[in-house]
Structures are given as structure tokens and as C-alpha cells.
Amino acid sequence: MRFHGFSSLSRQARDRGFGVRWRAALLAGCAALVLAGCNGGDSNSPMSKASKTLSPQTLALIQQKDMTKSSPIVVRIFKEESELEVWKETNSGEYELLKTYPICRWSGELGPKVREGDRQAPEGFYTITPGQMNANSSYYLAFDLGFPNAYDRAWGRSGSNLMVHGDCSSRGCYAMTDEQVQEIFALGRESFYGGQRSFQVQAYPFRMTADNLVRHRNNPNLAFWKMLKEGSDVFELTKAPPKVDYCGKRYVFNATPVDPSQKLQASAPCPDYTMPEGLQEAVAARQKEANAKIASAGVLQPAAPVKTGKDGGMHKVFLAKLENPELSAPGSLPPVVKPPGSDYGVSTTEPAPAESIALATADTVSETAAVPLPAPRPDDAPGGPRTAIAAAPASAGGLFSLFGALAPTETKPVDAAAVPAAPAPPQAASTLAAAAPADAQPRPPERAALPQVAALDAGSNGGFLDSLKNWFGGSTPPAAAPAEPIADVPVPPVRPPVPRQATTAPAAQPARANPPAAATPTAATAPPSVASSSGEAVSGTVPTLPGAAGILAPGSFSTVQ
């Protein structure tokens, strides 16, 4: 069922009058002047990566879906499925799915982030302003989710520098490949050029269906997830991002206080409020269906484990790539990555040990490093009237902090969990030296190189852009959080070769240094080629990736619904 009355909210926001259109046009014009005056010549510079244009394939897809390059976007993230979606506003004013990107790595368990250092990737509704776009990230490109938001702060939750970034390495972030994050970054950048003041990120533990809630009915975060489902339902019913507010230490969606003098405040009790006509009933009907299914679930419907012990997840298309490096995947992987459930990183240029793949795909594994489970939050249960998304919080920086030194630079921390310091035992001559854990692997300089594009020099634009930034709602961003000290990470002990048999126990398999290059695929074994972000074919043809149906390389991702 589609509620056209609700989707008109998006059209009204788009057509609020001459003033909004004039500011958007001025902003886009100034951005064009900056681009025209920049200095190109260094394809490794942060500005070169941040200003790379969208591929012809993506531009064609945008046009095919009746969208424009600069129309607003919404990002939706699903942990369990390891997928990130970009939705975009069409010319009709409704949002439709543009692309689905497989997530290369996320860390922690299903559940919200509670405290600094718990390795949890956040769940909830977050607002991304231009000042949160980081062109100078140590993880290729990134944007900060803005955790903690008002809801998180009301519960005393802590954490910083929680990102969507590249490099396929996570300590509480959502990590993509460099090529993927470059395209996502560009889609956000173009929406800002088009006048979007901020875009919304909806981060969920899984796709918010009644059946998934039934599977996770024993999880202590169930009440919190049912509340997030309300926001997901509003988005699906209205085809527009929900207006998110907070009151009574909970999220409310598309809410308007009955008394206009009363405000919705995260730590204050919720005043009486209303939702658009028909929306509250439609959302309540979906909640009632989910509650009925959860109540009727019995022993014949097994519940998902509360804690897997795997420390996050990785999309099956990347697991298939680790198993067979000759396969194509959407973007390049760093030399070493650490699959879920493994103690050590594995090389990405030779087949990963079967034990690593078995652990990554298992429902649960024996824990080798403690991954704290988010504390139960029974008081998170939705109570009282439902609904609401507040106006975006004030920007941490102006639009042009996207291209200059205003964006903070997060340093790459080292994940030293579960790395033993025991001396290395004797080793057969054929066994290669072990590599450091994946999260500590430095990036070779050549991986950052991409086709040359114009760089942006924000500093050369003087006070005009600063005044434009202030006029447009920006302010000086807060200082970046201090980087964690890099620990001395002992090299993992060299282990004798292990028979490659799948097992459910964690295997401390070290990565190999300088592994032999993968054999060039032959015509008989090669799968269909996929396009790179620049439209060039990559990897030849190779067998079809398990679970990769409909997911292609950057620039030509499918529109999996």
C-alpha cells in the first residue's frame, strides 16, 4: 500500500519557494567555481579522491530511474545481510532504491553501540552534514555517522569516529571497498551540490520484517529493534525519509506536538502529539502483525543466537572472493583482511584456509576475543503514542569543509585483540612468514592511486566561501577526537600447516607474507567480466560468485529490491 498523501511531504519540502531554490542554485554555482579553479595533478591527493565524478553507468541508471544527479539521497544499512542501500528522490518526489552495495566488513554483534571500545557498529537514525564528509580519511574516504545522536546521549551511550569508510577493515564502523565508498561519497557530495542540507542514514540490525523479529525474539534488544521498525515502516509507507525526533528517551517519527508551544526533547517526557492522517494507523497495524507473530512463535521456530562470537560480518560475495581470489568482486581488497571469526588476517591473493571460511559462515563460533554484548535495555521498549524525525542537527561544518582541512583525519588504530606473544615454533621451509592482523596492515601507497581528477583547494577561496559556509548554516567543527595510541603488536606465532577441513572451532591461521600471485583464469574457468567504477572491465571472466546474483562491480551495481 502506498500513501500518496504522505509522500507529498517530500514534494512540499522540495517546492518550499523561491528562497530555497535560490540558495540551492547559488550553492551549486559556487561549488562549480571552486571545481573550475582547482589544481589537478596529484591523483593520490585527498581532494582528487573526493571530487571524482560518477561513472557513466551510474549516471545512466540515475536517468533511467527518473532521478537527477543532484537529487536528495537516503542511506539504509542492514547488518545481518551485510548490505548498504542508497535511495534517491525521483522527479515525482518519492524515493526509490538506486543501488545495493555489499558491505565488506562490520564489527561487533547485532545490537546498538553502547560504549566506547565495544566494537559495536551503531544502529539507529543518523544525520550526515557536509562537515561530516572526510576526504582525508586514513581509510580512503569516509563520512562520520554522528554517533552519539540525541537518543544515544539520553541513554548515556559513548563513542566517537564511527564511520562508513573504505579499506574493508572495521573496529565499530561499516567498511566498504575503496571503489564502493568513492561512489557513495560522490552520491552524497552531489546531493549537497543540489541543495540537500543533510542526508539520513538508517542503520538496522537486519531487514525490519516481522519474520526477522520472530527469529531474534530472544535478543535483549528486541524492544529497541521494534522501535526502529516504526521508522522503517514510515519510510516504506511514505516513500520519503521519516522526520526523526526524540522524547521520553525514545525515537518518534513524523510527530507534531498537539500544543505548538511544547517541544520534543530526548530526555523529557513525550507531550501529546499527532501523526499525518492514516499513517499512525498503518504503522500500528504493522506493529500488531509483528507482535502477533512473536507471541505465536514456539519451539518449532528456532530463535537466532543472541551472540555469535564472530565479531561482525562480511557479505558472502567477499567471502567467495577470499575462498577463490580469481573471482570478481565489487572493488579491490587490501592485501590482508580478517574474516569474521578468525584470529588472524588472511592473504587476499591466495585461497583463504577452509577453516577461516567455515568460521565466517558459521552461526556461532567459540570466542577467542571477548566482544561485549550490548547491555539489555528493557526501558527502550516503545511505549505510549508512536511517531517522528527531527530537523537535522546543526552542521558540524560548512559544505566546503568537505574539501578542506575542516574535515577531521581519523588515524588508523591497530586491533591487537587476541594476538599472542609466544615465540614462533620451528617451521617447514615451504611455510611463509606470518603477517600482522588485518586491522593493523598498512596500506601500500600504490593502492590509493586512482585516475587523475581535479583537486580542490579550499584554502585559496578566502573569506567568500567562509561567509557562504556560515550563511548556509555551517560552523566551525569540533576538534577531532585524539587518536588512540598505536600499540606494539607482536607478530603471531608461526603455526604448522593445518589440514584444510571446515571446523566450527576458531582457527588461529596466520596470513602469509608475499603469497604467490593467483593464476590467470583461463577462458574455460573465467566468469563474466564486471565493470570498474570507471567503466573498464576488470578481472576477466570467472565463475559466478555464490550469492552474488544481481550485485556487480562499482559503477554497475544492480538494483536489488
Side-chain angles (χ1 to χ4, degrees):
M1 185 187 314
R2 180 173 297 183
F3 292 80
H4 295 284
F6 308 147
S7 64
S8 66
L9 293 173
S10 174
R11 289 194 293 274
Q12 291 170 10
R14 184 189 59 189
D15 300 325
R16 280 174 297 181
F18 174 77
V20 171
R21 292 194 296 272
W22 181 80
R23 287 196 295 270
L26 177 61
L27 182 62
C30 293
L33 287 173
V34 174
L35 287 169
C38 11
N39 232 334
D42 182 6
S43 61
N44 293 321
S45 73
M47 297 313 106
S48 175
K49 297 179 291 184
S51 59
K52 183 166 183 176
T53 58
L54 291 167
S55 70
Q57 296 94 329
T58 299
L59 292 174
L61 181 61
I62 289 172
Q63 184 176 15
Q64 173 190 331
K65 289 180 170 287
D66 195 30
M67 304 164 177
T68 64
K69 180 174 72 170
S70 59
S71 61
I73 67 168
V74 169
V75 172
R76 307 185 88 203
I77 295 172
F78 305 95
K79 276 184 180 177
E80 191 171 50
E81 293 83 0
S82 294
E83 290 181 347
L84 180 151
E85 297 177 345
V86 174
W87 291 64
K88 206 163 173 58
E89 188 181 46
T90 66
N91 290 327
S92 69
E94 295 184 343
Y95 281 71
E96 289 188 9
L97 177 63
L98 175 66
K99 288 191 177 184
T100 297
Y101 300 83
I103 296 174
C104 197
R105 196 71 169 85
W106 59 273
S107 62
E109 297 282 351
L110 297 184
K113 184 170 187 65
V114 174
R115 60 184 176 275
E116 184 85 51
D118 63 6
R119 294 184 64 86
Q120 287 293 116
E123 294 173 6
F125 291 78
Y126 298 92
T127 301
I128 314 302
T129 62
Q132 290 164 246
M133 306 287 281
N134 190 355
N136 197 30
S137 172
S138 298
Y139 297 84
Y140 195 71
L141 289 171
F143 59 84
D144 194 309
L145 289 171
F147 179 94
N149 62 17
Y151 171 85
D152 302 318
R153 291 193 298 272
W155 285 103
R157 295 173 178 173
S158 61
S160 59
N161 296 325
L162 282 307
M163 309 271 178
V164 172
H165 59 59
D167 200 44
C168 194
S169 172
S170 173
R171 299 176 76 248
C173 299
Y174 294 102
M176 318 300 291
T177 62
D178 293 353
E179 294 85 349
Q180 287 176 309
V181 78
Q182 182 168 268
E183 181 165 281
I184 297 166
F185 192 98
L187 288 167
R189 179 196 68 213
E190 294 299 331
S191 77
F192 293 137
Y193 285 169
Q196 186 175 22
R197 297 288 296 273
S198 61
F199 66 85
Q200 187 178 93
V201 172
Q202 305 170 9
Y204 299 111
F206 37 73
R207 295 193 178 274
M208 305 307 289
T209 64
D211 289 340
N212 277 338
L213 289 176
V214 169
R215 285 197 308 112
H216 292 280
R217 63 188 179 275
N218 292 339
N219 196 292
N221 295 295
L222 180 63
F224 171 70
W225 292 339
K226 289 167 69 176
M227 180 175 59
L228 295 187
K229 186 180 186 302
E230 293 180 30
S232 176
D233 290 341
V234 169
F235 179 74
E236 293 174 3
L237 289 166
T238 64
K239 302 298 182 185
K243 174 181 164 298
V244 176
D245 284 300
Y246 321 89
C247 64
K249 300 177 75 172
R250 68 184 309 276
Y251 286 99
V252 289
F253 304 95
N254 288 26
T256 302
V258 173
D259 181 351
S261 66
Q262 293 186 310
K263 304 298 182 183
L264 297 168
Q265 299 178 4
S267 297
C270 289
D272 292 337
Y273 62 85
T274 61
M275 296 175 69
E277 184 180 356
L279 180 58
Q280 184 167 7
E281 293 77 10
V283 171
R286 289 191 172 202
Q287 293 288 321
K288 182 177 180 180
E289 175 194 6
N291 290 335
K293 286 189 174 184
I294 292 170
S296 63
V299 292
L300 298 181
Q301 293 178 269
V306 170
K307 195 172 183 181
T308 67
K310 294 195 300 182
D311 186 19
M314 171 181 276
H315 194 277
K316 55 189 175 185
V317 74
F318 294 112
L319 288 174
K321 173 73 173 176
L322 292 182
E323 199 168 15
N324 180 3
E326 294 183 5
L327 296 177
S328 296
S332 54
L333 297 177
V336 175
V337 299
K338 189 166 75 171
S342 295
D343 290 335
Y344 300 105
V346 300
S347 169
T348 57
T349 57
E350 66 175 13
E355 296 86 350
S356 297
I357 304 300
L359 290 171
T361 55
D363 289 336
T364 58
V365 299
S366 300
E367 287 188 81
T368 55
V371 180
L373 180 68
R377 295 282 186 172
D379 292 335
D380 279 353
R386 289 162 163 67
T387 80
I389 138 180
S395 170
L399 172 66
F400 294 103
S401 62
L402 164 63
F403 306 113
L406 293 180
T409 304
E410 80 278 17
T411 13
K412 243 183 182 178
V414 172
D415 179 9
V419 181
Q427 177 185 12
S430 60
T431 306
L432 301 177
D439 290 351
Q441 179 70 20
R443 173 187 297 283
E446 64 272 11
R447 271 184 44 80
L450 286 174
Q452 178 177 323
V453 292
L456 298 174
D457 184 3
S460 65
N461 296 287
F464 171 71
L465 291 183
D466 289 339
S467 61
L468 175 64
K469 171 175 70 66
N470 293 331
W471 169 80
F472 193 69
S475 58
T476 303
E484 298 179 18
I486 297 179
D488 293 330
V489 181
V491 175
V494 177
R495 305 295 178 88
V498 181
R500 294 192 173 185
Q501 297 177 351
T503 176
T504 56
Q509 176 66 31
R512 301 185 180 183
N514 303 321
T520 303
T522 65
T525 62
S529 63
V530 265
S532 69
S533 58
S534 61
E536 298 177 357
V538 295
S539 299
T541 54
V542 285
T544 302
L545 279 135
I551 300 176
L552 305 178
S556 58
F557 292 98
S558 74
T559 56
V560 178
Q561 298 289 343

